[in-house]
Amino acid sequence: MQPQWVPTDREIAEAKITDFARFVTARTGVPTADYAALWQWSVDDLPGFWRALWDYFELGEIAGEVLADEAMPGARWFPGTRLNYMDQVVRQFRTDRPAIVQLSDGGEEVTEVSWTELIDRTAAFARTLRSLGVQPGDRVAGYLPNIAEAVIAFLGTAAVGAVWSACGQDYTAKAALDRLGQLEPTVLVTADGYRFGGKAHDKREDIAQLRAGLSTVRETVVVSRLGLDVADTMTWADAVASTDADAGIETESVDFDHPLWIVFSSGTTGLPKGIVHGHGGVLLEHLKAVALQSDIGPDDTFFWYTSPSWMMWNFQVAGLLAGATIVCFDGSPTYPEPDALWRIAAKVRATVLGTSPGYVLACIKAGSVPQTEHDLSALRLIGITGSSLPPSSALWLRDNVGAHIPVSSISGGTDVVSAFVGGVRTVPVWPGELSAPYLGVALDAYDESGKPVRGEVGELVITRPMPSMPVSFWRDPDGKRYHDAYFDTYPGVWRHGDWITLTEHGSIVVHGRSDSTLNRHGIRMGSADIYQAVERLPEITEALVIGAEQPDGGYWMPLFVVLAPGAELTDELSERIKSVIRTEVSPRHVPDEILTAPAVPHTRTGKKLEVPIKKLFQGADPARVVERSAVDDPDLLDWYSRIRPPGSR
């Protein structure tokens, strides 16, 4: 297979990562003429690499060691060094272009937020939090669309040293409470509603339920998106009113690993896990991933279609750390036409656009030709994540968006709120493959016995620590849940839960999750949320939901239901099942099909066999998917193995 994109000598010479490589060679004498050599040095000498990164971005004094203890879990980074994430944003202040461009559903209404407005409103919101008694370490919760106010609320929270956590308003009140309710937040920031796909979504009832369930909240701040009245709350305008225009922004200096935000796992096996990340680890990781790996800087407009429920929202905010303009869009990517995202990218003159394989496939099916239908002359990089991008979709992007534009397919996760692997401006792109491991990521592929494998499928593992690995899990005082999540398979080695192949030319092929996370339209959701909703229905004895990536880049999500005696899967029952998922869990996780099953297979300890069934739907050999003796009813495997996704029937 030939690369679909190869960097020119000029592109290599002008890349930020090339400048960093020169910086490294000048201070260490280590030859870093190509990316592979730079990466090898970065994982061989972790303290040297992260210190070089710190110095390259001129982040200030380091109090002592870079890496005091590299044991995983529990690595200790930069002990004694103090900082604040917001300080790096303030350093990027400029007057020649906006900090944020915001668009509403349909992309017609465009609002710009200048760097002056961003910093002034952040400072004012931080003062409001302090006036409400918010202290470092307190939690501030967001229940918001992807709007500029969400970014400002996060930055103000960070400035105070409080801890931010948010989910999008496509989550129901119950799903939001399952997450935010664990945190005992002091302040809730929300919006009266949002528009999506041409429809207004009034969220006042959900806000009322959320407030009732969050007994520790002292004040609720409401952004007006639909012009609705929410009683007994503070308006956003009041929360960011500047009472002292000359006061500037006051940031709290905190320890390197002081919590910055809490992001949540998908909740596959119960309540979502709160994953805590620190100021310093996120700052370093995001400067590396955004400024070096993605080559994003002050001349860029960075637009990733995302939601506050997804870590890519946090990743896009990091564009501010590099001085870029970021784009907030809270509408549908397919409204009013299937290629709306490309139209919006053209409108804002996006230089970097991020989307998902599912959206690309939808554009293919719609017959879109973005390069002839929209002015994408500013676009220089396409980012892809959420699931694996098949070669056919990668080649479609080349032929219909621009052969000169590299496709940076990245893979990582909420766990490190970044990517392990992805594109690099100095490395070729191969169709359906991720170009290289990121700097400082000691990535490998292991077989079941813990031995490295090449050219064949193995488990994605990280053998040495990264500073953005979780500081902790929320409500996990002894660290057991944290340990069990990543380190119970290979002691001292992070097992991520992805199947990958390391190729002979240094790229990575990601085959999908080796766990049961539902990852639809880039929004991750746990099966437990769906089971809780569906299995309450009297007609349903048990349910099994599977999310299976397909070879063409599609994503098939069937729901299997075991019916109670005398019940039938009528159209009316099917609609009721979809309705309960839509209203109690997420409208984006309504199944593609609902099928009656004779039973749900379990392990001998009672766990549903989600991962083995998913592998069956992806074409795996039933004899190799699971040991039949470990299944409570082995004959069920034969029944499920006969089920085929719609395109293969």
Side-chain angles (χ1 to χ4, degrees):
M1 180 182 295
Q2 296 297 313
Q4 71 180 74
W5 177 86
V6 177
T8 65
D9 290 343
R10 179 177 179 179
E11 286 168 329
I12 292 172
E14 294 178 351
K16 191 84 166 179
I17 206 159
T18 300
D19 187 59
F20 176 70
R22 296 191 195 103
F23 176 83
V24 168
T25 299
R27 69 186 287 164
T28 67
V30 175
T32 55
D34 60 22
Y35 182 80
L38 181 63
W39 174 81
Q40 191 64 59
W41 168 79
S42 76
V43 297
D44 287 344
D45 184 3
L46 287 184
F49 166 67
W50 291 105
R51 180 182 289 274
L53 193 76
W54 181 283
D55 292 343
Y56 182 76
F57 287 106
E58 301 177 340
L59 298 178
E61 294 296 321
I62 297 174
E65 292 181 89
V66 170
L67 181 56
D69 182 355
E70 75 164 82
M72 294 192 292
R76 293 177 58 232
W77 292 95
F78 294 86
T81 297
R82 296 176 69 83
L83 73 168
N84 190 291
Y85 177 101
M86 183 58 194
D87 289 337
Q88 177 64 16
V89 176
V90 174
R91 290 179 64 198
Q92 306 307 312
F93 173 82
R94 57 195 301 184
T95 58
D96 59 326
R97 53 185 293 149
I100 302 174
V101 175
Q102 179 170 295
L103 295 96
S104 59
D105 188 45
E108 296 304 319
E109 182 182 338
V110 181
T111 305
E112 292 188 352
V113 178
S114 71
W115 283 88
T116 297
E117 291 168 328
L118 174 73
I119 294 172
D120 285 351
R121 291 174 192 173
T122 297
F125 186 71
R127 288 193 290 270
T128 294
L129 291 179
R130 290 187 174 106
S131 73
L132 293 169
V134 176
Q135 300 288 324
D138 288 346
R139 278 75 62 203
V140 175
Y143 182 53
L144 290 157
N146 182 15
I147 53 179
E149 290 86 349
V151 177
I152 294 166
F154 155 62
L155 294 176
T157 300
V160 171
V163 187
W164 176 256
S165 190
C167 59
Q169 289 193 312
D170 52 337
Y171 277 32
T172 63
K174 180 184 180 302
L177 274 171
D178 283 347
R179 292 154 175 81
L180 305 178
Q182 301 180 45
L183 307 181
E184 299 178 308
T186 56
V187 174
L188 173 66
V189 186
T190 186
D192 57 355
Y194 66 99
R195 291 181 174 84
F196 188 89
K199 297 180 180 179
H201 297 264
D202 181 347
K203 300 299 289 185
R204 287 179 296 178
E205 184 175 336
D206 282 316
I207 293 169
Q209 294 179 36
L210 201 54
R211 294 175 73 190
L214 298 174
S215 61
T216 56
V217 166
R218 301 169 192 163
E219 184 64 87
T220 300
V221 179
V222 179
V223 179
S224 178
R225 297 292 289 169
L226 302 181
L228 305 174
D229 181 56
V230 184
D232 301 319
T233 61
M234 177 186 291
T235 68
W236 175 256
D238 286 341
V240 296
S242 182
T243 56
D244 188 350
D246 298 323
I249 186 163
E250 179 185 347
T251 61
E252 186 77 21
S253 179
V254 296
D255 289 336
F256 186 88
D257 60 357
H258 181 85
L260 173 66
W261 56 47
I262 299 171
V263 289
F264 283 94
S265 70
S266 56
T268 299
T269 56
L271 275 180
K273 293 185 289 290
I275 303 173
V276 184
H277 293 116
H279 274 247
V282 169
L283 174 63
L284 275 178
E285 176 61 36
H286 279 181
L287 281 172
K288 180 201 74 178
V290 171
L292 292 188
Q293 305 286 164
S294 304
D295 206 46
I296 293 172
D299 296 329
D300 284 302
T301 297
F302 182 24
F303 175 25
W304 203 294
Y305 179 71
T306 186
S307 155
S309 305
W310 189 22
M311 53 82 40
M312 290 308 299
W313 182 88
N314 308 67
F315 191 87
Q316 180 178 255
V317 171
L320 297 172
L321 299 173
T325 298
I326 64 171
V327 179
C328 293
F329 172 56
D330 68 336
S332 168
T334 58
Y335 174 80
E337 65 279 326
D339 66 345
L341 210 59
W342 302 105
R343 176 175 55 80
I344 293 169
K347 187 168 190 172
V348 301
R349 303 289 292 168
T351 57
V352 179
L353 172 65
T355 184
S356 68
Y359 181 73
V360 173
L361 181 61
C363 291
I364 294 171
K365 292 180 177 179
S368 302
V369 186
Q371 67 181 353
T372 60
E373 296 166 353
H374 306 287
D375 178 8
L376 299 175
S377 56
L379 191 62
R380 63 166 187 80
L381 180 67
I382 298 170
I384 298 286
T385 197
S387 59
S388 300
L389 181 72
S392 58
S393 293
L395 294 173
W396 180 87
L397 287 169
R398 180 197 65 189
D399 297 338
N400 293 274
V401 180
H404 65 290
I405 302 174
V407 176
S408 178
S409 188
I410 65 175
S411 181
T414 302
D415 322 77
V416 292
V417 78
S418 184
F420 296 125
V421 295
V424 189
R425 192 177 177 187
T426 59
V427 177
V429 176
W430 289 268
E433 300 177 10
L434 289 73
S435 296
Y438 272 14
L439 297 179
V441 179
L443 177 130
D444 213 331
Y446 277 9
D447 65 14
E448 292 181 358
S449 65
K451 295 179 180 178
V453 293
R454 298 291 182 270
E456 61 181 88
V457 177
E459 284 272 7
L460 188 161
V461 298
I462 309 299
T463 60
R464 301 189 73 186
M466 296 168 56
S468 68
M469 285 176 173
V471 172
S472 63
F473 281 179
W474 191 253
R475 292 182 177 173
D476 183 30
D478 61 1
K480 185 179 186 304
R481 288 197 301 155
Y482 181 16
H483 176 276
D484 292 350
Y486 310 111
F487 301 103
D488 63 342
T489 302
Y490 310 110
V493 173
W494 174 295
R495 171 191 171 273
H496 190 61
D498 277 342
W499 299 116
I500 65 168
T501 298
L502 303 180
T503 73
E504 61 182 10
H505 47 256
S507 68
I508 299 94
V509 178
V510 179
H511 304 284
R513 297 292 296 169
S514 59
D515 62 17
S516 57
T517 299
L518 303 173
N519 193 344
R520 199 168 200 195
H521 308 307
I523 306 298
R524 298 175 68 190
M525 174 67 72
S527 55
D529 290 338
I530 291 178
Y531 297 147
Q532 289 171 15
V534 173
E535 292 178 354
R536 285 204 309 270
L537 297 174
E539 296 90 347
I540 307 301
T541 300
E542 194 173 16
L544 177 72
V545 65
I546 303 294
E549 297 87 358
Q550 299 300 294
D552 66 354
Y555 191 77
W556 184 50
M557 201 179 98
L559 175 70
F560 296 90
V561 293
V562 181
L563 299 173
E568 293 183 15
L569 186 60
T570 61
D571 290 344
E572 186 272 336
L573 177 57
S574 292
E575 286 304 311
R576 246 187 320 129
I577 292 170
K578 293 177 182 178
S579 177
V580 76
I581 294 172
R582 185 180 296 111
T583 57
E584 294 189 18
V585 185
S586 164
R588 302 194 190 183
H589 290 80
V590 174
D592 296 313
E593 291 187 79
I594 302 176
L595 304 169
T596 303
V600 171
H602 305 82
T603 65
R604 295 293 181 183
T605 56
K607 186 176 180 180
K608 296 178 183 181
L609 292 185
E610 295 169 316
V611 173
I613 299 302
K614 171 179 176 174
K615 292 179 182 176
L616 288 177
F617 296 158
Q618 293 176 316
D621 180 356
R624 298 173 63 90
V625 162
V626 66
E627 175 59 46
R628 294 176 72 92
S629 63
V631 183
D632 60 353
D633 185 350
D635 293 338
L636 284 172
L637 296 174
D638 300 326
W639 186 88
Y640 281 91
S641 69
R642 292 193 290 269
I643 303 296
R644 291 288 179 269
S648 60
R649 293 173 186 168

